[in-house]
Amino acid sequence: MTTQEEKGAAFRALHAGEAFVIPNPWDAGSARVLAALGFKALASTSSGFAFTRGRLDGNVTLDEVIEHVTALDGSTDLPVSADLENGYGAEPEAAALAITRVAEAGAVGGSIEDWDPGGMVYELQHASERVAAAAQAAHRLAFPFMLTARAENHIRGHPDLDDTIARLQAFEAAGADVLYAPGLRTAQEISAVCEAVSKPVNVLALPGMTMAEIAGAGARRVSVGGSLTWVAVNALAAAAREIRDRGDFSVLGASPQLREWFT
């Protein structure tokens, strides 16, 4: 078994090397498949996890997330970073508590975003205070823990690149280890962000850009969010429609190579 300190050190080292993909499993089974396929770290997905509970994104509790992260961490020896949404509370203390609790569950990384589920992006000073509190909690831990600070502008109807950059710079100053603005769509946007900060930048992969293009623009880490979950769900729905509408069971394929992946 790999210790949490070893996982934390390995996760930190990944951010100092070449650009890498951190895929997002939605349960223990998908985590084991991704580990077997050779990925070096995993990140949870709030939307994918909410799906497993039969809910939309933003409708799970911190207690449920802790249970989920415990399961992900226990399923492989890979470092796990947790999607903690806004920290399950607007105040800085909530963000700090979310980091502390997810670390206790086995994670060696976690993200805090500046979007409130009530429907607003936090004012910059308050958002920075939340990141600072989370960073203090992360850096008090007895093992390396990578705090990711997220600026949500581009997926929340406010694609102002200058404001996004200003937020990420403030989050860096507040102590974040990784910076993340989901929704960047061009190499030029990614490059502008990466050139404006000194900490590693995570980019959300979107169709139309390759890993080489994203890395070439300066990103150090690439995640996929809930997209792998939706690949699986769309395949399920497509097969189920064929069965419902045509009575066609030919869409039912052979079992995957679970014995190989789960050994």
Side-chain angles (χ1 to χ4, degrees):
M1 292 293 292
T2 306
T3 68
Q4 195 167 13
E5 183 171 356
E6 289 170 335
K7 290 180 182 180
F11 194 44
R12 177 163 291 176
L14 281 173
H15 292 82
E18 296 181 357
F20 68 101
V21 176
I22 183 168
N24 303 76
W26 59 94
D27 61 10
S30 57
R32 293 194 68 180
V33 170
L34 292 168
L37 292 174
F39 291 97
K40 301 302 183 184
L42 304 171
S44 68
T45 158
S46 63
S47 60
F49 173 53
F51 168 78
T52 69
R53 296 299 179 105
R55 304 175 203 161
L56 295 176
D57 196 11
N59 287 283
V60 299
T61 67
L62 177 57
D63 285 343
E64 290 172 325
V65 169
I66 296 304
E67 179 184 354
H68 174 55
V69 170
T70 300
L72 291 181
D73 178 64
S75 65
T76 82
D77 282 336
L78 296 182
V80 172
S81 183
D83 181 345
L84 294 170
E85 302 184 70
N86 75 323
Y88 307 96
E91 296 307 311
E93 293 79 8
L97 177 62
I99 294 296
T100 300
R101 290 198 60 195
V102 82
E104 292 170 350
V108 293
S111 63
I112 296 292
E113 63 192 44
D114 61 359
W115 170 259
D116 187 276
M120 66 175 185
V121 173
Y122 294 119
E123 182 270 329
L124 180 56
Q125 181 175 345
H126 182 62
S128 298
E129 290 170 355
R130 286 165 36 79
V131 172
Q136 289 169 11
H139 300 156
R140 281 196 300 264
L141 296 168
F143 51 86
F145 188 101
M146 300 293 284
L147 172 68
T148 299
R150 292 176 48 151
E152 298 284 290
N153 274 340
H154 286 256
I155 60 171
R156 304 297 182 181
H158 185 58
D160 183 331
L161 186 60
D162 289 339
D163 184 63
T164 294
I165 288 172
R167 286 175 172 271
L168 295 177
Q169 289 172 329
F171 298 163
E172 178 176 11
D177 302 299
V178 181
L179 304 166
Y180 180 19
L184 302 179
R185 294 188 172 275
T186 67
Q188 290 74 22
E189 289 180 336
I190 296 168
S191 179
V193 166
C194 293
E195 290 174 1
V197 297
S198 63
K199 293 293 177 68
V201 171
N202 184 99
V203 167
L204 177 65
L206 296 171
M209 289 196 70
T210 66
M211 181 65 183
E213 290 169 332
I214 295 171
R220 187 65 54 82
R221 190 175 86 187
V222 180
S223 57
V224 300
S227 294
L228 284 177
T229 313
W230 312 141
V231 169
V233 172
N234 284 330
L236 178 152
R241 289 189 190 102
E242 288 296 307
I243 293 169
R244 181 196 65 191
D245 298 341
R246 305 176 188 276
D248 180 4
F249 296 103
S250 67
V251 294
L252 301 178
S255 298
Q257 56 205 71
L258 293 184
R259 289 188 181 278
E260 176 185 338
W261 290 337
F262 286 7
T263 298

